[in-house]
Amino acid sequence: EEFCMEEEKEPNSTLMMEMELLESSEFTDLDGDGRRLLNVIKEGKQSQNAPVVSELCTVQAHFRVAKLLMNYALKDTRLGLANGPDGLVLRADRMKEPMEFIVGEEAAAAEGEFVPPCVGECLKLPPQGVTEGMHFEVILREGVPIRDMEKDIHSAYSDGKYTGLPDTSGPVSIRIEVEKVVLACQGPTDRAWKGLESIQAERSRAEALESMDKLLALKRWRRILVWFEEIFASRRWKTQGGKAGDSMYDLQWDDEPEKQFAFDPKRRPQEKIPQLLDFEDSLLKQLHDGELCEFARAHAAAAALLGGELSRQHAHCAVQACGISSIPAEVEVKSRSTLAWRLLESGKSTEALSVLKEATALDPQNTELKDQVALITQKDNETKSVSTLEAMKALKQDLIDSFEANDLAGLKLLLQELDSLPLTWEVASETKIGKEVGMCAKHSDAAVAEPAKSIIARLHKLAKAERPLWVR
């Protein structure tokens, strides 16, 4: 670091300076290696019910990110423009409102509301947890990413525009003053749970995040699906009839899991992944109409954000819910479209077209849906053509063998199988199976000759309808 603005003339010369000690603070080494140091300036609320900062909670706080040795502020929420003798200057404003942000989603905000993600990470560092009124300082010897300072810089690094530039600030000091903490709802077992209202609030946040950060949006959708698993667990007894007793109180319940407090440094909450992706209709019917609608929305959104088999399972759950109750058309169309893509990827084009048939009936003017149907239809025809080609090659050889052996029963069966295939001129001309069928048409046994003549007539019609003009 440079200590003065004068140009250094002799790098190896001895530097003489006077220093005045203004403040002394005792820091705690969090990792035992000097990389992260913590100093609690002011303790927060100590009451038992005081909310402790955890993932996805909403926080109002002031913070200052500064270069460690130069004390140059990279980001300071208390700085504001003020009139000075020489015009507008930056000055500390004690009356300025704190920044409000969601821990873990700091970067998913507009330009004026952007909070460096390193601030959210620092809020998780104090071993005793962070509560309202707490002031603390963290020294990060390895610094923080430059992309964390401003929204436009963060976007540029994310888009790969600054790949050749260093992405570190050098050692920094981050000071945070927490004013308010509002915990995020943790599901049906939370005191803040408001049923459908809580689910809809979580859905609104997930939809807002989809345009900013798809991974954060997926995390929110998964939270909703985990909540539904808890709801199903509490209502499953209704589907068991007389086997489980007359009421839910006759069931054997597992012991309640040990409570996990957010401020326990040894227990960092992990993202829960939905485990239940196969439902019985009787279980889904335990949801009210509004709940079932949110269930379908969450699965449809998760399917669109994921890929592969997981995407197919989520899309299938959404489509299944649509068959039980009246779900908004756009949700069913979205889920069926996603399920059709996944089925096509697994080679099930015919099943994909069947799924899309219901979607096109719901939204016949949807151009994207029409394009999808056209593409999958083309793929389905290609798949059928290949399978028909392989079947006809095998049938051709079997016809030759049965004809030479004069196996009447075998010829009848082979001709019936050939007649049942979806014949095309392209396949017929490539296999040249007309020769063998023509031989059967001249057979002395009418039971063989008649079906063969019918197939010949069918081949003539295909030739007139599908044969290219230059071949006719």
Side-chain angles (χ1 to χ4, degrees), residues 35-36 64-68 74-75 116-122 125 138-150 153 157 166-174:
R35 293 186 301 112
R36 301 188 300 178
R64 183 176 189 268
V65 183
K67 299 280 281 185
L68 182 58
L74 301 173
K75 191 85 172 177
C118 58
V119 173
E121 291 299 318
C122 288
L125 291 180
V138 176
I139 292 177
L140 302 176
R141 193 179 69 186
E142 296 180 355
V144 296
I146 292 294
R147 70 174 69 196
D148 280 5
M149 293 300 106
E150 298 291 344
I153 300 177
Y157 270 101
D167 189 20
T168 180
S169 63
V172 295
S173 167
I174 301 178

Side-chain angles (χ1 to χ4, degrees), residues 62 76-82 90-98 177 179:
H62 280 290
D76 191 337
T77 58
R78 289 199 181 276
L79 287 181
L81 291 174
L90 281 173
R91 287 182 180 172
D93 183 1
R94 303 299 299 179
M95 301 301 294
K96 197 172 181 183
E97 291 294 323
E177 302 172 6
E179 295 194 5

Side-chain angles (χ1 to χ4, degrees), residues 347-400:
K348 300 177 181 178
S349 54
T350 304
E351 189 176 345
L353 286 174
S354 176
V355 170
L356 281 179
K357 184 178 179 181
E358 297 291 335
T360 53
L362 291 169
D363 191 359
Q365 304 302 321
N366 191 321
T367 55
E368 292 184 3
L369 210 56
K370 290 179 180 179
D371 292 341
Q372 185 181 7
V373 170
L375 177 62
I376 296 180
T377 300
Q378 181 183 355
K379 296 287 186 183
D380 186 50
N381 290 337
E382 291 174 358
T383 302
K384 288 179 179 178
S385 178
V386 171
S387 60
T388 303
L389 178 63
E390 297 299 323
M392 287 186 67
K393 285 180 178 179
L395 280 172
K396 179 178 180 178
Q397 186 59 47
D398 292 341
L399 279 173
I400 294 173

Side-chain angles (χ1 to χ4, degrees), residues 220-237:
R220 291 280 186 170
W221 288 119
R222 280 175 166 169
R223 275 166 52 86
I224 294 176
L225 295 177
V226 169
W227 294 351
F228 272 112
E229 289 184 359
E230 296 178 16
I231 293 173
F232 285 132
S234 67
R235 300 181 186 177
R236 189 180 295 274
W237 66 274

Side-chain angles (χ1 to χ4, degrees), residues 4-10:
C4 58
M5 301 302 293
E6 296 181 5
E7 183 179 356
E8 188 178 11
K9 298 179 181 179
E10 298 182 15

